[in-house]
Amino acid sequence: MVEYITGINGIGKTKIMAEAAVATAQTSGGNVVYVDCTDKLSYELPRSIRLINAKDYEIDSVSALSGFLMGLCASDYDLTDVFVDSALDIFSADSRETDEFLEIIARASKATGVNFHFAISDVETPQLVYQSVCE
């Protein structure tokens, strides 16, 4: 499963993502990872959720992020969910690249069984919008 929320900056996507990650970690039978471009949630997320700062790994493109996420899946067979906050802050992509990225991740989710959750800033969408990508 791949799902994402979009909306303008400051509307509350990070809070929703963090709460969802905590709830998922409490019920998941495996590991949960939270990828962000800062360490701002290091004291808010429980230790059961692995927080990864994408900037520490120089992730700056669509292909770098998709490769990084595939590496997470390949290295941890107990991984159930990956949350990626501020996905477009990690790389700058146009809507076509973002769509291609989500299609790649949808195929990876189907192959690995890992659920991916993204928060994507969108200056044209003033309200929160939840969407799902199916492969």
Side-chain angles (χ1 to χ4, degrees):
M1 170 188 68
V2 177
E3 62 182 13
Y4 61 96
I5 58 174
T6 60
I8 60 173
N9 284 338
I11 200 165
K13 295 182 299 296
T14 296
K15 181 180 180 188
I16 292 169
M17 290 283 287
E19 290 172 354
V22 170
T24 299
Q26 291 172 344
T27 60
S28 173
N31 297 328
V32 176
V33 172
Y34 195 101
V35 179
D36 199 357
C37 57
T38 69
D39 292 321
K40 65 186 174 195
L41 294 176
S42 59
Y43 296 109
E44 295 178 34
L45 294 176
R47 299 187 86 200
S48 61
I49 298 174
R50 177 156 183 218
L51 176 63
I52 298 174
N53 186 336
K55 299 297 182 190
D56 291 344
Y57 296 92
E58 299 183 22
I59 299 170
D60 59 0
S61 68
V62 172
S63 61
L65 181 59
S66 60
F68 182 79
L69 295 176
M70 297 310 96
L72 287 175
C73 294
S75 67
D76 186 352
Y77 289 111
D78 293 327
L79 185 64
T80 60
D81 291 85
V82 176
F83 292 81
V84 182
D85 196 4
S86 305
L88 293 184
D89 292 344
I90 295 171
F91 59 85
S92 58
D94 60 29
S95 61
R96 184 181 54 77
E97 278 186 314
T98 303
D99 291 343
E100 289 175 11
F101 168 75
L102 290 172
E103 289 174 13
I104 291 168
I105 297 302
R107 286 193 302 272
S109 176
K110 185 176 180 182
T112 63
V114 175
N115 301 311
F116 292 91
H117 315 268
F118 296 93
I120 300 173
S121 293
D122 182 1
V123 296
E124 297 177 13
T125 308
Q127 73 278 0
L128 284 174
V129 177
Y130 297 86
Q131 298 185 24
S132 181
V133 176
C134 297
E135 179 61 26

